[in-house]
Amino acid sequence: MSLNERISKVIEYSGFTPSEFADEVDVQRSSISHVTSGRNKPSLEFIIKIKSRFPEILWDWLVTGDGEMLKSELPNTAEPVTEEKTKTNFPTRFIYNDE
């Protein structure tokens, strides 16, 4: 999938019309049609504006097409935190002198 196609997919994901999307990411409306049609390649600034407005979109996917589009689509590999893992070796009582 080309970068232009990925940007089209982001627009579709956003639920905005192309004009509304342009307003949301603060780019000219004509830029959207030029990029999605393949006439122009998006600038780095254009991509940064998309990423700033939609932080859930992964950089790797947006720029290269690698991986998943959204952070929430990543497999959950974190181990659950158990009570045993949260224990520390700090003393459990302290003596305070209020004098």
Side-chain angles (χ1 to χ4, degrees), residues 24-51:
E24 281 291 313
V25 297
D26 193 29
V27 297
Q28 292 183 351
R29 292 178 178 188
S30 61
S31 295
I32 299 296
S33 64
H34 292 170
V35 166
T36 57
S37 70
R39 177 179 172 196
N40 294 351
K41 291 187 178 190
S43 67
L44 178 59
E45 180 182 3
F46 187 98
I47 295 170
I48 290 170
K49 287 181 176 191
I50 291 172
K51 182 66 173 118

Side-chain angles (χ1 to χ4, degrees), residues 12-98:
E12 182 182 318
Y13 161 79
S14 75
F16 296 118
T17 65
S19 295
E20 293 169 333
F21 185 83
D23 294 341
E24 281 291 313
V25 297
D26 193 29
V27 297
Q28 292 183 351
R29 292 178 178 188
S30 61
S31 295
I32 299 296
S33 64
H34 292 170
V35 166
T36 57
S37 70
R39 177 179 172 196
N40 294 351
K41 291 187 178 190
S43 67
L44 178 59
E45 180 182 3
F46 187 98
I47 295 170
I48 290 170
K49 287 181 176 191
I50 291 172
K51 182 66 173 118
S52 295
R53 174 57 182 85
F54 299 97
E56 67 275 20
I57 295 174
L58 293 168
W59 274 111
D60 286 348
W61 178 84
L62 185 58
V63 175
T64 66
D66 293 337
E68 301 296 329
M69 177 178 161
L70 302 174
K71 289 180 182 178
S72 62
E73 294 177 355
L74 293 175
N76 186 2
T77 58
E79 288 185 40
V81 176
T82 62
E83 184 179 330
E84 187 174 300
K85 290 182 182 180
T86 59
K87 289 183 180 179
T88 63
N89 292 327
F90 296 120
T92 56
R93 69 181 179 148
F94 295 90
I95 301 172
Y96 293 97
N97 191 352
D98 291 335

